[in-house]
Amino acid sequence: MTQNMETNSNRSNAWIPWAFVLLWSTGFIGAKLGLPFIGPFTFLAIRMGLTLLCFGALIACFRPAWPDLAAARHQWACGAMLHGLYLGASFAGIKLAVPAGITALIVGLQPILTAVLSWLMGEQRLSRMQWLGLATGFGGALLVVLGGKGLQLGANPGLWLTALALCAITAGTLYQKRFGQGVHPLTGAFHQYLAAFLITGALALGLERGDPVHWNGQLALALGWSVLALSVLAILLLMRMLKDGEVSKVASYFYLTPGLAAVQAWWLFDEQLSLLAVAGMLLAALGVALVLQRLRWRR
């Protein structure tokens, strides 16, 4: 009977990963929607401040334990990389006209880079199929860039910022895996967003002070969606996935994000991708899927 109850519970929660992926894929679309009217770091500073208020309210309701100073410092480091540098570099790249679909594709290679670094640090072994996946994913990313705006994109500093975002989210993921465990998700997220708020706020004051902010309904929608749907709801869904024992499956859903983001960007902003770019996107998704076989393979 217990086994049947667990099976029914898993079936009833089957929608959660798909809802998470759909929400997560809209992150770059929200940036594209709001950034014409505001600087990227100002946008993020406001977003992080509002997110802190939301998590503060959740903490007041559920009253989880706060981490000690040593654990909090690790959360600050994670937040600086995962929310501050990663989002800051991504948004700055989009502000410099890197298409949202290409941004999502490049950052979506994070599981591949994480796998390579884990292999170099001796934390895991990669099979031949996984090495094939690495080569396939890299080739797909190259085709997407060349099929999007080609050499014009290569000369755009925004592309290098997007690459920096990829490195930041990879480093943050590895750091959190090694040093950020054992903290309640709500208080851990609060500390992470606090660090991100301080970083993006400092960048906004240093680089965007005096830049006009054109408040309108589109910007308000972008901010509201980014805070409630992404920083709060998507993170809570991710927590639920982890709580339900989905650790070995969570990463396998991320490779769907670039394709969804590209379709949304095409629909909302008419971002055109050539057949070469579409083929590259499918190739990159296949490459990440091959690398992520390690998750099922190690169970």
Side-chain angles (χ1 to χ4, degrees):
M1 181 178 294
T2 301
Q3 185 176 1
N4 291 335
M5 291 177 63
E6 292 178 354
T7 301
N8 292 333
S9 176
N10 290 336
R11 288 176 179 173
S12 65
N13 294 333
W15 62 272
I16 292 178
W18 303 107
F20 168 76
V21 168
L22 182 59
L23 289 173
W24 201 254
S25 68
T26 65
F28 301 106
I29 304 304
K32 185 86 172 181
L33 193 66
L35 290 182
F37 312 105
I38 190 173
F41 302 118
T42 302
F43 182 98
L44 286 171
I46 296 173
R47 172 179 168 179
M48 296 305 162
L50 293 174
T51 302
L52 279 174
L53 293 177
C54 292
F55 272 96
L58 290 172
I59 290 170
C61 290
F62 295 101
R63 301 184 181 280
W66 287 92
D68 59 25
L69 181 58
R73 286 173 178 168
H74 288 309
Q75 296 304 313
W76 297 338
C78 291
M81 289 182 280
L82 292 175
H83 304 299
L85 185 56
Y86 157 61
L87 287 177
S90 297
F91 278 45
I94 292 174
K95 186 74 171 182
L96 292 174
V98 177
I102 290 181
T103 301
L105 187 280
I106 293 174
V107 175
L109 294 176
Q110 177 262 335
I112 287 180
L113 186 55
T114 300
V116 172
L117 292 176
S118 295
W119 173 76
L120 290 174
M121 293 186 294
E123 294 184 357
Q124 69 173 50
R125 292 180 298 172
L126 296 176
S127 66
R128 293 180 181 177
M129 188 63 70
Q130 290 169 295
W131 283 114
L132 176 62
L134 294 175
T136 302
F138 179 79
L142 184 61
L143 286 180
V144 169
V145 173
L146 294 177
K149 292 187 177 180
L151 296 177
Q152 294 179 3
L153 243 187
N156 186 340
L159 191 64
W160 302 108
L161 286 171
T162 305
L164 175 61
L166 170 61
C167 295
I169 191 174
T170 302
T173 299
L174 292 172
Y175 188 93
Q176 185 168 25
K177 180 180 179 181
R178 176 168 292 190
F179 302 110
Q181 303 301 314
V183 175
H184 191 280
L186 289 179
T187 53
F190 184 90
H191 279 291
Q192 289 189 18
Y193 283 122
L194 177 61
F197 172 70
L198 295 175
I199 290 173
T200 55
L203 288 171
L205 289 174
L207 300 177
E208 298 172 357
R209 179 185 298 177
D211 292 354
V213 176
H214 303 286
W215 288 103
N216 54 46
Q218 185 171 323
L219 176 56
L221 175 62
L223 271 171
W225 181 265
S226 296
V227 171
L228 297 176
L230 292 166
S231 294
V232 178
L233 181 56
I235 294 301
L236 290 177
L237 288 175
L238 179 60
M239 292 177 187
R240 179 59 183 268
M241 291 163 65
L242 295 173
K243 180 181 178 182
D244 289 344
E246 298 288 337
V247 177
S248 64
K249 298 179 181 179
V250 169
S252 65
Y253 292 103
F254 278 87
Y255 74 87
L256 298 173
T257 300
L260 286 171
V263 170
Q264 293 162 8
W266 164 76
W267 181 43
L268 294 172
F269 307 111
D270 197 30
E271 284 191 2
Q272 299 298 318
L273 290 174
S274 67
L275 290 177
L276 182 65
V278 172
M281 188 177 302
L282 295 175
L283 200 62
L286 174 61
V288 178
L290 290 173
V291 172
L292 290 175
Q293 287 299 313
R294 68 183 176 87
L295 295 170
R296 304 183 185 91
W297 171 90
R298 292 183 64 183
R299 290 188 69 179

